[in-house]
Every structure is written in structure tokens, then in C-alpha cells.
């Protein structure tokens, strides 16, 4: 009898989640878009929360993956995902720099429980996947006694041409795809990059929760480089070209910069998964964060915490230097893209100024596009920033005659 009762519960749950059609108002297009909810086809445990994939069909940007939507959606459902299909009918505003409005609205409505109300969704596993892309979850890049670190990869399925990848380090130290964090930060970088034909990956932050504002070295660098190597190794089997640009905001920004400033520091390699793979990156998107501890504002409220962890700066300058991503930079590095909101905190604005000044002193190439709309500690949504940002990503990640494909193994 118990088996029959469990079967009945699962059957009723499946019926409640059966495919349904509705509409969703798109801020980007101003239209009501067809929205279809498709239940997972694999049985879920009673009471289990469901991972959700928003699958965006018929966007304005060219579709790079060649597998059919039907095949991809079938596999997503078989893997246990609740799939929500939005059909944009190739509306011209269904791409950057306007599609970002819809991604922000989707996450905000999910956070407020005004979208998919009543559905048993898992807020730690909400993915936005453009047409032609697949989702590969929980790719492990580092293991130790305390924690296993992994990344989630969204990539063009059987791409028409090899593509590069954007690697972001999560701002949430417990759940890398936490909708709360992505909503709060207005984070649209990865799904938009994917919608423009690139592969994208969200990696666990090297530091476990609860985050105290300290990124221990050399541990953080070892884990960040393991994420790059793993993405490059896995991507070589999926049609990716091996070119990787990390991106980071807030507590993730230092990780992105660190990968660009430690290209010639082999002491951080050889740890974690795929130790023989190249860990070099081809650029970095660096947003608001902390980059050096040797040049802080005198009224910086974090100084007492740093002194407690590392000792006084005057007596332990080498320790303070070792924790700053910028302080590994002694000669020009790969081209960087910098952005920060002009109403950020004085400490964050000071850090960005120090970073720009160091790059200028070294004649290291960079582009800086501050966001002028007053939004504080948020990721950019202004087209004046988004257009050059995604142009930069395409330029650094597209293999050309003078930007050759990076091979998985070191030469």
C-alpha cells in the first residue's frame, strides 16, 4: 500500500505540473509573450523543490547551437527540470542591450513570488538558457576536506562554430545560482553573453559561507585557476575554442582580476582538477570590488578586520600585499574591461581609481565604462555600459588569425 500511495502522490504532482500555456509581459518588447510551463518527465521525490530552466526561444541574436529546441527541452525535463518556455518571435529588442530588462524582471518576480506562484521551485537553482544552448550542472573543479567546488555551464549545443566562454565567480558563497543574489545584484552578464552565442559558467566562490570579506591566499588563487582549467578541459569536448574571460562583481571581482594578474605565477597551478591544463585567461571583466590592501582610504571600516587577520600593515606588509589581486601585477597583462556605478561607496570608487592608475602606469590595455545612472552597489544595466561590455567579450573570446584558439594542454 505504501508504494501505491507514493505512486499516487507522484502522479498527482505530475498532473499539477502538467504543461500549461499562459503569457508573460515583456518589459523589453512591451508585448505579452507566449509562456509554456513544462513539467519534468522524471519523477520527483514528494515535497522536493524543482530546479527551473527559463528557455528563451526565437531571440533576435543569431542562434549558434544546432540541436533542436525539442531535443534540448526533452533532455532538460528528463533531467528533472521544470522548463518555462518564452517565445520572443525574433523581436528586434530581444537581445542586448534591452533583453536585460526582461532578465531582471523575471528574477525580481520570482523573488517576489509573483511568477510561478504555487509551483514548488528551488530558488537556488534557477537558470536562464537561450535557445540552442544546453545546461551542464555541478562540474567539479576543486575538492578538499571541507568543501567541493563546482560550476554550472550553459553552452551552445553542437555549435556552428567554436565559441569562447565567460566564467563568473558567484557573489553567493552558499548557492552559486541563488536567485536572491542574482536578483539583488541585477546580474545579467552570463545569460546575455549566452544569448549572444557564447558559453557561460557560474563557479562557486573560493571562500565558503559565511563570508567575512577575507579571501585567503594562496588558497583562493589555486581554486580560481582550477575553475579555469576545468572549464577549458570540459569545453574542449563541447565545441568551445578554449578562450576564457572571467567576470566578477563585488566579492567576485577580486577573483576575476586575480586570474589576469597571475598569468605568470605557476605557484598557484597544479591544485584541484585537471592540473595539466592551461590556466591562462584572455581578459577579465572587473566590476566594483577590492583589489589591493596596500592603498586603502584611512576611514575604511574593514581595516580593523584586516589587522585582526593579518596583523598591522606596517609590520606585515608582505602579508597584506599577498592578498591583493592588483599587487601581483608588475607588467602589462591581458586587456581588461572595467565598470563601476558612480554612486558606489567611496571605498569602492577609490579601489577602481587605484586599479586604473596602476594599469596606466604599466601601459596595460583596458577600457573603463562607468555607469552614470545612480544605482549604487549593482551590476550595470545602462546600454552605454552593456554595449561596449559585450562587444569586449566578443572581441576577446572570438578566435581570429591573431587571436588563435587556446588548446587545452600547455604547449
Amino acid at each position: 500500500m505504501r508504494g501505491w500511495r507514493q505512486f499516487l502522490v507522484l502522479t498527482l504532482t505530475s498532473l499539477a505540473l502538467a504543461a500549461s500555456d499562459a503569457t508573460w509581459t515583456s518589459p523589453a518588447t512591451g508585448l505579452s509573450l507566449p509562456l509554456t510551463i513544462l513539467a519534468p518527465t522524471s519523477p520527483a521525490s514528494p515535497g522536493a523543490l524543482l530546479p527551473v530552466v527559463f528557455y528563451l526561444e526565437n531571440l533576435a541574436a543569431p542562434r549558434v547551437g544546432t540541436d533542436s529546441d525539442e531535443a534540448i527541452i526533452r533532455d532538460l525535463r528528463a533531467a528533472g527540470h521544470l522548463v518555462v518556455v518564452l517565445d520572443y518571435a525574433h523581436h528586434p529588442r530581444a537581445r542586448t542591450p534591452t533583453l536585460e530588462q526582461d532578465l531582471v524582471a523575471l528574477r525580481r518576480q520570482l523573488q517576489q513570488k509573483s511568477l510561478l506562484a504555487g509551483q514548488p521551485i528551488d530558488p537556488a537553482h534557477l537558470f536562464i538558457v537561450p535557445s540552442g544552448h544546453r545546461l551542464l550542472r555541478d562540474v567539479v573543479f576543486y575538492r578538499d576536506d571541507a568543501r567541493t567546488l563546482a560550476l554550472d555551464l550553459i553552452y551552445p549545443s553542437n555549435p556552428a562554430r567554436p565559441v569562447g566562454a565567460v566564467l563568473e565567480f558567484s557573489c553567493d558563497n552558499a548557492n552559486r545560482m541563488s536567485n536572491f543574489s542574482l536578483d539583488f545584484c541585477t546580474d545579467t552578464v552570463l545569460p546575455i553573453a549566452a544569448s549572444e552565442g557564447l558559453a557561460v559558467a557560474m563557479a562557486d566562490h573560493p571562500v565558503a559561507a559565511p563570508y567575512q570579506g577575507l579571501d585567503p591566499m594562496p588558497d583562493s588563487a589555486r581554486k580560481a585557476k582550477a575553475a579555469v582549467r576545468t572549464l577549458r578541459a570540459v569545453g574542449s569536448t563541447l565545441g568551445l575554442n578554449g578562450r576564457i574571460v572571467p567576470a566578477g562583481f563585488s566579492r567576485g571581482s577580486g577573483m576575476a582580476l586575480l586570474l589576469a594578474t597571475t598569468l605568470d605565477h605557476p605557484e598557484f597551478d597544479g591544485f584541484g582538477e585537471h592540473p595539466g591544463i592551461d590556466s591562462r585567461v584572455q581578459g577579465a571583466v572587473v566590476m566594483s570590488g577590492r583589489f589591493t590592501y596596500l592603498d586603502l582610504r584611512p576611514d575604511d571600516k574593514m581595516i580593523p578586520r584586516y589587522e585582526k587577520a593579518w596583523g598591522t600593515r606596517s609590520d606585515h606588509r608582505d602579508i597584506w600585499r599577498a592578498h591583493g589581486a592588483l599587487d601581483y601585477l608588475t607588467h602589462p597583462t591581458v586587456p581588461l574591461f572595467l565598470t563601476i556605478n558612480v554612486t558606489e561607496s567611496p571605498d569602492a570608487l577609490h579601489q577602481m581609481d587605484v586599479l586604473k592608475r596602476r594599469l596606466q602606469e604599466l601601459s596595460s590595455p583596458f577600457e573603463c565604462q562607468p555607469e552614470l545612472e545612480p544605482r549604487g552597489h549593482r551590476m550595470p544595466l545602462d546600454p552605454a555600459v552593456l554595449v561596449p561590455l559585450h562587444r569586449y567579450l566578443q572581441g576577446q573570446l572570438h578566435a581570429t588569425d591573431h587571436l588563435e584558439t587556446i588548446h587545452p594542454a600547455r604547449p
Side-chain angles (χ1 to χ4, degrees):
M1 287 294 292
R2 181 179 179 184
W4 278 105
R5 281 197 298 269
Q6 185 175 7
F7 174 78
L8 180 61
V9 169
L10 291 174
T11 301
L12 291 173
T13 300
S14 298
L15 289 173
L17 291 172
S20 61
D21 294 311
T23 59
W24 182 75
T25 301
S26 159
T29 66
L31 302 176
S32 293
L33 304 181
L35 180 150
T36 303
I37 302 174
L38 300 170
T41 54
S42 59
S45 302
L49 297 178
L50 296 177
V52 179
V53 171
F54 281 87
Y55 192 79
L56 311 184
E57 288 187 338
N58 298 314
L59 296 170
R63 191 180 191 275
V64 175
T66 61
D67 284 359
S68 70
D69 291 333
E70 292 78 12
I72 294 171
I73 291 171
R74 181 189 63 234
D75 292 343
L76 287 168
R77 297 175 71 191
H81 298 93
L82 177 70
V83 180
V84 182
V85 180
L86 280 171
D87 189 343
Y88 279 86
H90 301 291
H91 194 285
R93 290 175 61 85
R95 69 181 304 179
T96 191
T98 46
L99 184 59
E100 285 87 346
Q101 300 173 30
D102 282 12
L103 306 188
V104 170
L106 282 172
R107 291 203 176 276
R108 178 58 48 86
Q109 291 171 24
L110 288 165
Q111 192 63 28
Q112 296 173 341
K113 300 185 177 4
S114 59
L115 179 61
L116 300 185
Q119 300 279 17
I121 64 174
D122 181 355
H125 295 92
L126 295 170
F127 305 92
I128 299 175
V129 179
S131 177
H133 280 57
R134 289 186 181 271
L135 170 63
L136 181 61
R137 289 175 48 187
D138 301 320
V139 180
V140 174
F141 64 85
Y142 199 97
R143 292 181 175 90
D144 59 27
D145 294 339
R147 188 170 172 233
T148 296
L149 282 75
L151 58 83
D152 297 319
L153 173 61
I154 297 171
Y155 63 97
S157 186
N158 290 312
R161 54 178 172 76
V163 302
V166 184
L167 172 65
E168 183 176 344
F169 289 93
S170 175
C171 286
D172 189 295
N173 300 76
N175 298 301
R176 59 183 172 272
M177 291 301 297
S178 165
N179 192 64
F180 171 80
S181 175
L182 295 168
D183 168 50
F184 178 83
C185 296
T186 61
D187 187 346
T188 65
V189 169
L190 293 190
I192 290 296
S195 74
E196 294 292 323
L198 298 172
V200 300
M202 180 68 82
D204 282 325
H205 193 281
V207 183
Y211 187 68
Q212 301 295 326
L214 302 171
D215 300 320
M217 290 289 286
D219 186 68
S220 294
R222 292 170 176 172
K223 291 174 178 176
K225 286 181 177 286
V228 173
R229 295 196 309 269
T230 298
L231 177 56
R232 181 163 286 131
V234 172
S236 68
T237 69
L238 301 174
L240 308 192
N241 66 15
R243 300 184 66 82
I244 296 173
V245 169
F249 171 75
S250 192
R251 65 191 64 174
S253 61
M255 299 300 105
L257 180 62
L258 186 65
L259 289 168
T261 60
T262 59
L263 298 176
D264 301 320
H265 286 263
E267 68 270 23
F268 299 130
D269 268 317
F271 301 89
E273 302 298 307
H274 306 284
I277 300 298
D278 195 333
S279 68
R280 289 174 293 175
V281 297
Q282 284 64 59
V285 175
V286 182
M287 292 170 270
S288 174
R290 286 178 180 263
F291 315 123
T292 178
Y293 303 96
L294 299 182
D295 190 341
L296 302 172
R297 287 170 52 90
D299 59 350
D300 192 319
K301 295 181 179 179
M302 288 293 289
I303 290 176
R305 187 174 299 181
Y306 301 148
E307 291 179 335
K308 183 178 180 180
W310 306 328
T312 61
R313 182 166 47 186
S314 58
D315 293 335
H316 302 279
R317 190 173 180 84
D318 287 346
I319 297 177
W320 286 60
R321 176 183 290 110
H323 285 81
L326 180 56
D327 296 307
Y328 290 92
L329 189 63
T330 58
H331 55 273
T333 185
V334 291
L336 304 182
F337 186 93
L338 314 180
T339 183
I340 189 170
N341 192 277
V342 295
T343 58
E344 267 279 11
S345 71
D347 293 327
L349 292 170
H350 175 72
Q351 287 283 299
M352 187 61 73
D353 286 341
V354 172
L355 171 57
K356 290 189 294 183
R357 187 165 60 247
R358 180 74 61 84
L359 293 171
Q360 289 167 344
E361 291 169 353
L362 295 173
S363 298
S364 190
F366 73 95
E367 177 179 0
C368 183
Q369 295 288 344
E371 185 178 39
L372 302 181
E373 180 186 352
R375 301 182 60 248
H377 191 58
R378 299 290 189 276
M379 293 173 70
L381 292 177
D382 186 346
V385 179
L386 298 174
V387 170
L389 188 160
H390 288 284
R391 183 173 57 234
Y392 164 85
L393 289 175
Q394 293 288 343
Q396 296 306 119
L397 293 172
H398 180 61
T400 67
D401 291 340
H402 58 282
L403 289 175
E404 296 181 357
T405 297
I406 298 293
H407 296 286
R410 290 187 183 277

